[in-house]
Short mmCIF file of all heavy atoms in Angstrom, two decimals:
data_model
loop_
_atom_site.label_atom_id
_atom_site.label_comp_id
_atom_site.label_asym_id
_atom_site.label_seq_id
_atom_site.Cartn_x
_atom_site.Cartn_y
_atom_site.Cartn_z
N MET A 1 111.94 82.34 87.28
CA MET A 1 113.17 82.52 88.03
C MET A 1 114.17 83.32 87.20
O MET A 1 114.29 83.14 86.01
CB MET A 1 113.74 81.15 88.42
CG MET A 1 115.00 81.22 89.29
SD MET A 1 114.75 82.09 90.86
CE MET A 1 116.42 82.18 91.45
N LEU A 2 114.85 84.23 87.89
CA LEU A 2 115.79 85.14 87.24
C LEU A 2 117.03 84.42 86.70
O LEU A 2 117.51 84.72 85.62
CB LEU A 2 116.20 86.19 88.26
CG LEU A 2 117.08 87.34 87.81
CD1 LEU A 2 116.34 88.18 86.78
CD2 LEU A 2 117.47 88.19 89.00
N LEU A 3 117.53 83.48 87.48
CA LEU A 3 118.82 82.86 87.16
C LEU A 3 118.69 81.39 86.81
O LEU A 3 117.81 80.70 87.30
CB LEU A 3 119.76 83.00 88.36
CG LEU A 3 120.09 84.43 88.79
CD1 LEU A 3 120.83 84.43 90.12
CD2 LEU A 3 120.89 85.13 87.72
N ARG A 4 119.59 80.93 85.94
CA ARG A 4 119.68 79.51 85.64
C ARG A 4 120.68 78.87 86.61
O ARG A 4 121.41 79.57 87.30
CB ARG A 4 120.17 79.29 84.20
CG ARG A 4 119.21 79.82 83.16
CD ARG A 4 119.67 79.38 81.77
NE ARG A 4 118.99 80.14 80.73
CZ ARG A 4 119.42 81.30 80.25
NH1 ARG A 4 120.55 81.81 80.66
NH2 ARG A 4 118.75 81.94 79.32
N ASP A 5 120.71 77.54 86.61
CA ASP A 5 121.68 76.84 87.45
C ASP A 5 123.09 77.33 87.14
O ASP A 5 123.45 77.50 85.97
CB ASP A 5 121.63 75.32 87.18
CG ASP A 5 120.46 74.68 87.91
OD1 ASP A 5 119.84 75.36 88.75
OD2 ASP A 5 120.17 73.51 87.64
N GLY A 6 123.88 77.59 88.17
CA GLY A 6 125.27 77.98 87.98
C GLY A 6 125.46 79.47 87.76
O GLY A 6 126.58 79.92 87.56
N GLU A 7 124.37 80.22 87.79
CA GLU A 7 124.50 81.67 87.61
C GLU A 7 124.25 82.39 88.92
O GLU A 7 123.51 81.91 89.78
CB GLU A 7 123.48 82.17 86.57
CG GLU A 7 123.78 81.72 85.16
CD GLU A 7 122.76 82.22 84.14
OE1 GLU A 7 121.64 82.60 84.53
OE2 GLU A 7 123.10 82.22 82.96
N THR A 8 124.86 83.55 89.04
CA THR A 8 124.67 84.38 90.23
C THR A 8 124.71 85.84 89.82
O THR A 8 125.26 86.17 88.76
CB THR A 8 125.76 84.05 91.28
OG1 THR A 8 125.50 84.81 92.47
CG2 THR A 8 127.14 84.41 90.78
N MET A 9 124.12 86.72 90.61
CA MET A 9 124.17 88.14 90.32
C MET A 9 125.41 88.73 90.98
O MET A 9 125.67 88.51 92.17
CB MET A 9 122.92 88.86 90.86
CG MET A 9 121.62 88.39 90.23
SD MET A 9 121.52 88.60 88.44
CE MET A 9 121.01 90.33 88.35
N CYS A 10 126.21 89.48 90.20
CA CYS A 10 127.46 90.03 90.69
C CYS A 10 127.77 91.30 89.90
O CYS A 10 127.68 91.30 88.68
CB CYS A 10 128.56 88.99 90.50
SG CYS A 10 130.17 89.51 91.07
N CYS A 11 128.13 92.37 90.59
CA CYS A 11 128.45 93.62 89.89
C CYS A 11 129.66 93.42 88.99
O CYS A 11 130.70 92.94 89.45
CB CYS A 11 128.74 94.73 90.91
SG CYS A 11 129.30 96.26 90.15
N PRO A 12 129.56 93.79 87.69
CA PRO A 12 130.68 93.59 86.76
C PRO A 12 131.83 94.55 87.03
O PRO A 12 132.94 94.37 86.51
CB PRO A 12 130.05 93.85 85.38
CG PRO A 12 128.89 94.74 85.66
CD PRO A 12 128.38 94.35 87.02
N ILE A 13 131.61 95.59 87.84
CA ILE A 13 132.67 96.57 88.11
C ILE A 13 133.43 96.25 89.39
O ILE A 13 134.65 96.19 89.41
CB ILE A 13 132.06 97.99 88.23
CG1 ILE A 13 131.25 98.35 86.97
CG2 ILE A 13 133.16 99.02 88.49
CD1 ILE A 13 132.04 98.31 85.68
N CYS A 14 132.68 96.04 90.50
CA CYS A 14 133.35 95.88 91.79
C CYS A 14 133.13 94.51 92.43
O CYS A 14 133.72 94.21 93.47
CB CYS A 14 132.88 96.97 92.76
SG CYS A 14 131.23 96.69 93.41
N GLY A 15 132.29 93.68 91.84
CA GLY A 15 132.05 92.36 92.41
C GLY A 15 131.02 92.36 93.53
O GLY A 15 130.80 91.35 94.18
N GLY A 16 130.38 93.50 93.75
CA GLY A 16 129.37 93.61 94.80
C GLY A 16 128.19 92.67 94.56
O GLY A 16 127.90 92.31 93.42
N THR A 17 127.54 92.30 95.64
CA THR A 17 126.43 91.35 95.53
C THR A 17 125.17 91.86 96.24
O THR A 17 124.30 91.06 96.61
CB THR A 17 126.82 89.97 96.10
OG1 THR A 17 127.28 90.14 97.44
CG2 THR A 17 127.90 89.31 95.26
N VAL A 18 125.09 93.16 96.45
CA VAL A 18 123.87 93.76 96.99
C VAL A 18 123.41 94.83 96.01
O VAL A 18 124.21 95.66 95.57
CB VAL A 18 124.10 94.39 98.39
CG1 VAL A 18 122.80 94.99 98.92
CG2 VAL A 18 124.63 93.35 99.36
N PHE A 19 122.12 94.79 95.63
CA PHE A 19 121.64 95.64 94.55
C PHE A 19 120.35 96.34 94.93
O PHE A 19 119.66 95.96 95.87
CB PHE A 19 121.39 94.79 93.30
CG PHE A 19 122.49 93.82 93.02
CD1 PHE A 19 122.38 92.49 93.40
CD2 PHE A 19 123.65 94.25 92.41
CE1 PHE A 19 123.41 91.59 93.16
CE2 PHE A 19 124.69 93.37 92.17
CZ PHE A 19 124.57 92.03 92.54
N CYS A 20 120.03 97.35 94.15
CA CYS A 20 118.74 98.03 94.27
C CYS A 20 118.08 97.98 92.90
O CYS A 20 118.70 98.33 91.90
CB CYS A 20 118.98 99.48 94.69
SG CYS A 20 117.48 100.46 94.78
N ALA A 21 116.85 97.50 92.83
CA ALA A 21 116.10 97.45 91.58
C ALA A 21 114.62 97.66 91.90
O ALA A 21 114.21 97.49 93.05
CB ALA A 21 116.32 96.13 90.86
N THR A 22 113.87 98.02 90.90
CA THR A 22 112.47 98.38 91.13
C THR A 22 111.54 97.20 90.94
O THR A 22 111.52 96.57 89.88
CB THR A 22 112.05 99.51 90.16
OG1 THR A 22 112.93 100.62 90.35
CG2 THR A 22 110.62 99.94 90.40
N ALA A 23 110.76 96.92 91.97
CA ALA A 23 109.68 95.94 91.87
C ALA A 23 108.37 96.70 91.72
O ALA A 23 108.26 97.86 92.13
CB ALA A 23 109.64 95.09 93.14
N HIS A 24 107.39 96.07 91.12
CA HIS A 24 106.06 96.67 91.02
C HIS A 24 105.16 95.95 92.01
O HIS A 24 105.03 94.73 91.95
CB HIS A 24 105.49 96.52 89.61
CG HIS A 24 106.32 97.19 88.56
ND1 HIS A 24 105.89 97.39 87.28
CD2 HIS A 24 107.56 97.72 88.62
CE1 HIS A 24 106.83 98.02 86.58
NE2 HIS A 24 107.86 98.21 87.37
N VAL A 25 104.57 96.70 92.92
CA VAL A 25 103.73 96.10 93.94
C VAL A 25 102.39 96.82 94.00
O VAL A 25 102.25 97.96 93.55
CB VAL A 25 104.39 96.17 95.34
CG1 VAL A 25 105.73 95.43 95.34
CG2 VAL A 25 104.58 97.61 95.79
N THR A 26 101.41 96.15 94.55
CA THR A 26 100.14 96.80 94.82
C THR A 26 100.06 97.09 96.31
O THR A 26 100.69 96.42 97.12
CB THR A 26 98.94 95.91 94.42
OG1 THR A 26 99.00 94.70 95.17
CG2 THR A 26 98.97 95.60 92.93
N GLN A 27 99.31 98.13 96.66
CA GLN A 27 99.13 98.48 98.07
C GLN A 27 97.73 99.05 98.25
O GLN A 27 97.11 99.53 97.29
CB GLN A 27 100.18 99.48 98.55
CG GLN A 27 100.19 100.77 97.78
CD GLN A 27 101.31 101.73 98.17
OE1 GLN A 27 101.22 102.90 97.89
NE2 GLN A 27 102.38 101.26 98.78
N ASP A 28 97.23 98.97 99.45
CA ASP A 28 95.91 99.53 99.76
C ASP A 28 96.07 100.96 100.24
O ASP A 28 96.97 101.27 101.03
CB ASP A 28 95.23 98.70 100.85
CG ASP A 28 94.87 97.32 100.34
OD1 ASP A 28 94.53 97.19 99.15
OD2 ASP A 28 94.93 96.37 101.14
N TRP A 29 95.21 101.84 99.75
CA TRP A 29 95.24 103.25 100.12
C TRP A 29 93.98 103.62 100.91
O TRP A 29 92.90 103.08 100.65
CB TRP A 29 95.26 104.15 98.88
CG TRP A 29 96.52 104.15 98.11
CD1 TRP A 29 97.64 103.42 98.33
CD2 TRP A 29 96.78 104.94 96.93
NE1 TRP A 29 98.59 103.70 97.38
CE2 TRP A 29 98.08 104.64 96.51
CE3 TRP A 29 96.04 105.86 96.21
CZ2 TRP A 29 98.66 105.23 95.39
CZ3 TRP A 29 96.62 106.45 95.10
CH2 TRP A 29 97.92 106.13 94.70
N GLU A 30 94.14 104.55 101.81
CA GLU A 30 92.99 105.20 102.42
C GLU A 30 92.64 106.42 101.55
O GLU A 30 93.53 107.19 101.19
CB GLU A 30 93.33 105.65 103.84
CG GLU A 30 92.15 106.28 104.57
CD GLU A 30 92.54 106.62 106.01
OE1 GLU A 30 92.92 105.69 106.76
OE2 GLU A 30 92.49 107.81 106.35
N LEU A 31 91.36 106.56 101.22
CA LEU A 31 90.90 107.64 100.33
C LEU A 31 89.85 108.47 101.06
O LEU A 31 89.16 107.97 101.95
CB LEU A 31 90.27 107.04 99.07
CG LEU A 31 91.14 106.03 98.32
CD1 LEU A 31 90.29 105.20 97.37
CD2 LEU A 31 92.24 106.72 97.56
N ASP A 32 89.72 109.73 100.65
CA ASP A 32 88.66 110.55 101.25
C ASP A 32 87.41 110.53 100.37
O ASP A 32 87.33 109.76 99.40
CB ASP A 32 89.17 111.97 101.53
CG ASP A 32 89.41 112.77 100.25
OD1 ASP A 32 89.03 112.29 99.15
OD2 ASP A 32 89.96 113.88 100.36
N GLU A 33 86.42 111.39 100.70
CA GLU A 33 85.13 111.36 100.00
C GLU A 33 85.22 111.78 98.53
O GLU A 33 84.30 111.54 97.76
CB GLU A 33 84.11 112.24 100.74
CG GLU A 33 84.35 113.73 100.65
CD GLU A 33 85.40 114.23 101.65
OE1 GLU A 33 86.05 113.39 102.31
OE2 GLU A 33 85.58 115.45 101.77
N THR A 34 86.36 112.40 98.13
CA THR A 34 86.53 112.76 96.72
C THR A 34 87.41 111.75 95.99
O THR A 34 87.73 111.93 94.82
CB THR A 34 87.19 114.16 96.59
OG1 THR A 34 88.53 114.10 97.10
CG2 THR A 34 86.39 115.21 97.33
N GLY A 35 87.79 110.70 96.69
CA GLY A 35 88.65 109.69 96.07
C GLY A 35 90.11 110.09 96.07
O GLY A 35 90.92 109.50 95.37
N THR A 36 90.45 111.10 96.85
CA THR A 36 91.83 111.57 96.91
C THR A 36 92.64 110.75 97.90
O THR A 36 92.19 110.45 99.01
CB THR A 36 91.87 113.06 97.34
OG1 THR A 36 91.09 113.82 96.42
CG2 THR A 36 93.30 113.59 97.35
N PHE A 37 93.83 110.41 97.46
CA PHE A 37 94.74 109.62 98.29
C PHE A 37 94.99 110.30 99.63
O PHE A 37 95.25 111.50 99.69
CB PHE A 37 96.06 109.45 97.54
CG PHE A 37 97.17 108.87 98.39
CD1 PHE A 37 97.25 107.52 98.60
CD2 PHE A 37 98.12 109.72 98.96
CE1 PHE A 37 98.27 107.00 99.39
CE2 PHE A 37 99.14 109.19 99.74
CZ PHE A 37 99.21 107.83 99.95
N GLN A 38 94.92 109.55 100.71
CA GLN A 38 95.23 110.06 102.05
C GLN A 38 96.52 109.45 102.59
O GLN A 38 97.43 110.14 102.99
CB GLN A 38 94.07 109.78 103.01
CG GLN A 38 92.76 110.43 102.58
CD GLN A 38 92.85 111.96 102.50
OE1 GLN A 38 93.24 112.60 103.46
NE2 GLN A 38 92.50 112.52 101.36
N LYS A 39 96.55 108.13 102.61
CA LYS A 39 97.77 107.47 103.07
C LYS A 39 97.77 106.00 102.66
O LYS A 39 96.73 105.44 102.32
CB LYS A 39 97.90 107.57 104.59
CG LYS A 39 96.80 106.83 105.36
CD LYS A 39 96.99 106.99 106.87
CE LYS A 39 95.90 106.24 107.63
NZ LYS A 39 96.00 106.41 109.08
N CYS A 40 98.95 105.40 102.70
CA CYS A 40 99.10 103.99 102.42
C CYS A 40 98.75 103.20 103.68
O CYS A 40 99.14 103.58 104.78
CB CYS A 40 100.54 103.65 102.05
SG CYS A 40 101.09 104.42 100.54
N LEU A 41 98.03 102.11 103.50
CA LEU A 41 97.65 101.28 104.64
C LEU A 41 98.58 100.09 104.82
O LEU A 41 98.55 99.43 105.85
CB LEU A 41 96.20 100.79 104.47
CG LEU A 41 95.17 101.93 104.39
CD1 LEU A 41 93.79 101.37 104.10
CD2 LEU A 41 95.18 102.75 105.68
N ASN A 42 99.42 99.84 103.81
CA ASN A 42 100.40 98.76 103.92
C ASN A 42 101.46 99.00 102.84
O ASN A 42 101.27 99.81 101.94
CB ASN A 42 99.74 97.39 103.78
CG ASN A 42 98.76 97.35 102.61
OD1 ASN A 42 99.11 97.76 101.51
ND2 ASN A 42 97.55 96.88 102.86
N ASP A 43 102.57 98.31 102.96
CA ASP A 43 103.66 98.48 102.00
C ASP A 43 103.39 97.71 100.72
O ASP A 43 103.73 98.14 99.63
CB ASP A 43 104.98 97.99 102.59
CG ASP A 43 105.48 98.91 103.69
OD1 ASP A 43 105.12 100.10 103.67
OD2 ASP A 43 106.22 98.43 104.57
N CYS A 44 102.81 96.54 100.85
CA CYS A 44 102.69 95.67 99.69
C CYS A 44 101.64 94.61 99.93
O CYS A 44 101.72 93.86 100.91
CB CYS A 44 104.04 95.02 99.42
SG CYS A 44 104.00 93.76 98.15
N VAL A 45 100.65 94.54 99.06
CA VAL A 45 99.66 93.47 99.11
C VAL A 45 100.12 92.31 98.23
O VAL A 45 100.03 91.15 98.60
CB VAL A 45 98.27 93.96 98.64
CG1 VAL A 45 97.29 92.82 98.58
CG2 VAL A 45 97.78 95.08 99.55
N GLU A 46 100.63 92.68 97.04
CA GLU A 46 101.02 91.67 96.05
C GLU A 46 102.14 92.23 95.21
O GLU A 46 102.14 93.42 94.88
CB GLU A 46 99.80 91.36 95.17
CG GLU A 46 100.03 90.33 94.12
CD GLU A 46 98.84 90.21 93.15
OE1 GLU A 46 97.87 90.97 93.29
OE2 GLU A 46 98.90 89.35 92.27
N VAL A 47 103.09 91.39 94.84
CA VAL A 47 104.13 91.80 93.91
C VAL A 47 103.65 91.44 92.50
O VAL A 47 103.38 90.28 92.22
CB VAL A 47 105.47 91.09 94.21
CG1 VAL A 47 106.52 91.50 93.18
CG2 VAL A 47 105.94 91.43 95.62
N THR A 48 103.52 92.45 91.64
CA THR A 48 103.05 92.18 90.28
C THR A 48 104.21 92.06 89.29
O THR A 48 104.04 91.60 88.18
CB THR A 48 102.10 93.30 89.79
OG1 THR A 48 102.77 94.55 89.87
CG2 THR A 48 100.84 93.34 90.66
N HIS A 49 105.38 92.50 89.69
CA HIS A 49 106.55 92.36 88.82
C HIS A 49 107.81 92.32 89.68
O HIS A 49 108.10 93.28 90.39
CB HIS A 49 106.63 93.53 87.84
CG HIS A 49 107.89 93.57 87.03
ND1 HIS A 49 108.09 92.77 85.92
CD2 HIS A 49 109.03 94.28 87.19
CE1 HIS A 49 109.30 93.01 85.42
NE2 HIS A 49 109.89 93.91 86.18
N PHE A 50 108.53 91.22 89.63
CA PHE A 50 109.82 91.14 90.32
C PHE A 50 110.89 91.73 89.41
O PHE A 50 110.79 91.61 88.18
CB PHE A 50 110.18 89.67 90.62
CG PHE A 50 109.44 89.11 91.80
CD1 PHE A 50 108.15 88.64 91.67
CD2 PHE A 50 110.05 89.06 93.05
CE1 PHE A 50 107.46 88.12 92.76
CE2 PHE A 50 109.37 88.54 94.15
CZ PHE A 50 108.08 88.08 94.00
N PRO A 51 111.91 92.37 89.96
CA PRO A 51 113.00 92.87 89.12
C PRO A 51 113.57 91.74 88.28
O PRO A 51 113.84 90.65 88.82
CB PRO A 51 114.03 93.37 90.14
CG PRO A 51 113.22 93.72 91.35
CD PRO A 51 112.12 92.69 91.38
N ASP A 52 113.72 91.97 86.98
CA ASP A 52 114.27 90.92 86.12
C ASP A 52 115.46 91.45 85.32
O ASP A 52 115.94 92.56 85.56
CB ASP A 52 113.17 90.31 85.24
CG ASP A 52 112.62 91.31 84.21
OD1 ASP A 52 113.30 92.31 83.91
OD2 ASP A 52 111.50 91.07 83.72
N THR A 53 115.91 90.66 84.38
CA THR A 53 117.15 91.00 83.66
C THR A 53 116.99 92.20 82.74
O THR A 53 117.98 92.75 82.27
CB THR A 53 117.62 89.80 82.82
OG1 THR A 53 116.56 89.42 81.92
CG2 THR A 53 117.97 88.62 83.71
N GLU A 54 115.77 92.63 82.45
CA GLU A 54 115.56 93.79 81.59
C GLU A 54 115.37 95.07 82.39
O GLU A 54 115.35 96.17 81.82
CB GLU A 54 114.36 93.55 80.67
CG GLU A 54 114.62 92.41 79.68
CD GLU A 54 113.41 92.09 78.82
OE1 GLU A 54 112.43 92.84 78.84
OE2 GLU A 54 113.47 91.06 78.14
N ASP A 55 115.24 94.95 83.70
CA ASP A 55 115.15 96.13 84.55
C ASP A 55 116.54 96.68 84.85
O ASP A 55 117.54 95.99 84.66
CB ASP A 55 114.47 95.78 85.88
CG ASP A 55 112.99 95.49 85.70
OD1 ASP A 55 112.29 96.33 85.11
OD2 ASP A 55 112.55 94.42 86.15
N ILE A 56 116.57 97.92 85.32
CA ILE A 56 117.84 98.53 85.72
C ILE A 56 118.17 98.11 87.15
O ILE A 56 117.33 98.21 88.05
CB ILE A 56 117.76 100.07 85.65
CG1 ILE A 56 117.50 100.51 84.20
CG2 ILE A 56 119.04 100.70 86.20
CD1 ILE A 56 118.59 100.11 83.22
N TRP A 57 119.36 97.61 87.33
CA TRP A 57 119.86 97.23 88.66
C TRP A 57 120.99 98.18 89.02
O TRP A 57 121.82 98.52 88.17
CB TRP A 57 120.40 95.79 88.65
CG TRP A 57 119.35 94.73 88.54
CD1 TRP A 57 118.37 94.62 87.60
CD2 TRP A 57 119.18 93.61 89.41
NE1 TRP A 57 117.59 93.51 87.84
CE2 TRP A 57 118.07 92.87 88.94
CE3 TRP A 57 119.86 93.16 90.54
CZ2 TRP A 57 117.63 91.71 89.57
CZ3 TRP A 57 119.43 92.01 91.17
CH2 TRP A 57 118.32 91.29 90.68
N ASP A 58 121.02 98.62 90.27
CA ASP A 58 122.10 99.47 90.77
C ASP A 58 122.90 98.68 91.81
O ASP A 58 122.32 98.09 92.72
CB ASP A 58 121.55 100.72 91.45
CG ASP A 58 120.77 101.60 90.49
OD1 ASP A 58 121.15 101.67 89.31
OD2 ASP A 58 119.79 102.22 90.93
N CYS A 59 124.22 98.72 91.67
CA CYS A 59 125.08 98.11 92.68
C CYS A 59 125.11 99.04 93.90
O CYS A 59 125.40 100.23 93.76
CB CYS A 59 126.49 97.92 92.13
SG CYS A 59 127.68 97.37 93.36
N LYS A 60 124.82 98.50 95.06
CA LYS A 60 124.81 99.35 96.26
C LYS A 60 126.22 99.67 96.75
O LYS A 60 126.41 100.59 97.54
CB LYS A 60 123.99 98.69 97.38
CG LYS A 60 122.50 98.68 97.06
CD LYS A 60 121.65 98.52 98.29
CE LYS A 60 121.59 99.81 99.07
NZ LYS A 60 120.66 99.74 100.21
N LYS A 61 127.19 98.93 96.28
CA LYS A 61 128.57 99.13 96.74
C LYS A 61 129.27 100.24 95.95
O LYS A 61 129.84 101.16 96.54
CB LYS A 61 129.35 97.82 96.61
CG LYS A 61 130.71 97.81 97.27
CD LYS A 61 131.26 96.38 97.26
CE LYS A 61 132.68 96.34 97.80
NZ LYS A 61 133.25 94.98 97.64
N CYS A 62 129.21 100.19 94.61
CA CYS A 62 129.95 101.17 93.81
C CYS A 62 129.04 102.11 93.03
O CYS A 62 129.52 103.09 92.44
CB CYS A 62 130.91 100.47 92.85
SG CYS A 62 130.11 99.70 91.42
N GLY A 63 127.74 101.82 92.98
CA GLY A 63 126.82 102.70 92.29
C GLY A 63 126.65 102.41 90.82
O GLY A 63 125.89 103.09 90.12
N TYR A 64 127.34 101.38 90.30
CA TYR A 64 127.18 101.03 88.88
C TYR A 64 125.72 100.71 88.60
O TYR A 64 125.05 100.03 89.37
CB TYR A 64 128.06 99.82 88.53
CG TYR A 64 127.81 99.30 87.13
CD1 TYR A 64 128.30 99.99 86.02
CD2 TYR A 64 127.07 98.15 86.92
CE1 TYR A 64 128.06 99.53 84.73
CE2 TYR A 64 126.83 97.68 85.64
CZ TYR A 64 127.33 98.38 84.55
OH TYR A 64 127.07 97.92 83.28
N SER A 65 125.24 101.19 87.48
CA SER A 65 123.85 101.00 87.09
C SER A 65 123.79 100.40 85.70
O SER A 65 124.45 100.89 84.78
CB SER A 65 123.15 102.37 87.11
OG SER A 65 121.79 102.23 86.83
N GLY A 66 123.03 99.33 85.56
CA GLY A 66 122.91 98.70 84.25
C GLY A 66 121.78 97.70 84.23
O GLY A 66 121.17 97.41 85.27
N ALA A 67 121.51 97.15 83.05
CA ALA A 67 120.47 96.13 82.93
C ALA A 67 120.85 94.92 83.77
O ALA A 67 122.03 94.57 83.88
CB ALA A 67 120.30 95.72 81.47
N GLY A 68 119.85 94.28 84.36
CA GLY A 68 120.10 93.09 85.19
C GLY A 68 120.94 92.07 84.47
O GLY A 68 121.78 91.39 85.07
N GLN A 69 120.76 91.99 83.15
CA GLN A 69 121.52 91.03 82.32
C GLN A 69 123.03 91.23 82.50
O GLN A 69 123.79 90.26 82.49
CB GLN A 69 121.14 91.23 80.85
CG GLN A 69 121.72 90.21 79.90
CD GLN A 69 121.15 88.82 80.11
OE1 GLN A 69 119.94 88.66 80.29
NE2 GLN A 69 121.99 87.81 80.13
N ASP A 70 123.47 92.49 82.70
CA ASP A 70 124.89 92.80 82.84
C ASP A 70 125.50 92.24 84.12
O ASP A 70 126.71 92.13 84.25
CB ASP A 70 125.12 94.32 82.84
CG ASP A 70 124.68 94.97 81.54
OD1 ASP A 70 124.49 94.25 80.54
OD2 ASP A 70 124.53 96.21 81.54
N PHE A 71 124.63 91.91 85.08
CA PHE A 71 125.10 91.46 86.39
C PHE A 71 125.18 89.93 86.52
O PHE A 71 125.69 89.43 87.49
CB PHE A 71 124.17 91.99 87.49
CG PHE A 71 124.27 93.48 87.70
CD1 PHE A 71 123.64 94.37 86.85
CD2 PHE A 71 124.98 94.00 88.78
CE1 PHE A 71 123.72 95.75 87.04
CE2 PHE A 71 125.07 95.38 89.00
CZ PHE A 71 124.44 96.24 88.12
N ILE A 72 124.65 89.24 85.52
CA ILE A 72 124.64 87.78 85.62
C ILE A 72 126.03 87.23 85.32
O ILE A 72 126.63 87.53 84.29
CB ILE A 72 123.61 87.16 84.64
CG1 ILE A 72 122.19 87.60 85.04
CG2 ILE A 72 123.73 85.64 84.64
CD1 ILE A 72 121.12 87.11 84.09
N THR A 73 126.55 86.43 86.25
CA THR A 73 127.85 85.81 86.05
C THR A 73 127.75 84.33 86.39
O THR A 73 126.86 83.91 87.12
CB THR A 73 128.92 86.45 86.97
OG1 THR A 73 128.43 86.43 88.31
CG2 THR A 73 129.21 87.87 86.56
N LYS A 74 128.67 83.55 85.85
CA LYS A 74 128.73 82.12 86.17
C LYS A 74 129.45 81.95 87.48
O LYS A 74 130.43 82.63 87.75
CB LYS A 74 129.49 81.36 85.07
CG LYS A 74 128.84 81.45 83.70
CD LYS A 74 127.65 80.53 83.61
CE LYS A 74 127.06 80.58 82.19
NZ LYS A 74 125.74 79.92 82.13
N LYS A 75 128.95 81.04 88.30
CA LYS A 75 129.60 80.78 89.59
C LYS A 75 131.00 80.22 89.37
O LYS A 75 131.24 79.49 88.43
CB LYS A 75 128.77 79.80 90.42
CG LYS A 75 127.59 80.46 91.13
CD LYS A 75 126.81 79.43 91.93
CE LYS A 75 125.47 80.03 92.39
NZ LYS A 75 124.56 79.00 92.91
ZN1 ZN B 1 129.61 97.55 92.03
#
């Protein structure tokens, strides 16, 4: 879990609470006879990495970008 009891994610600049961060997921691809990618068959089969405090988080409200750790605040 990303947060401990009493903590919440909050933009340190504008107080925004909606963010964009990168998750790592697996997906199934359709391939041709040479093994070349054709198209994605689904968005996500499994999440292999959830965004955490060491990833870069972007505030969707003001655009501030920083490590997830910078966004953790006490309730
Ligand atoms: Zn912000």
Side-chain angles (χ1 to χ4, degrees):
M1 183 60 188
L2 185 64
L3 298 170
R4 296 189 195 88
D5 280 350
E7 291 180 340
T8 184
M9 298 300 277
C10 180
C11 175
I13 305 301
C14 75
T17 55
V18 180
F19 315 99
C20 177
T22 303
H24 299 192
V25 300
T26 60
Q27 59 185 199
D28 292 326
W29 289 3
E30 183 176 301
L31 308 162
D32 70 9
E33 71 278 8
T34 66
T36 303
F37 170 81
Q38 299 299 306
K39 65 180 180 182
C40 295
L41 299 175
N42 46 49
D43 290 335
C44 172
V45 175
E46 181 188 3
V47 178
T48 57
H49 172 79
F50 282 82
D52 67 20
T53 57
E54 294 176 9
D55 289 308
I56 297 299
W57 288 53
D58 298 325
C59 173
K60 290 201 76 174
K61 191 171 175 187
C62 75
Y64 173 75
S65 184
Q69 187 67 44
D70 298 344
F71 290 78
I72 296 177
T73 52
K74 298 283 183 191
K75 280 180 192 167

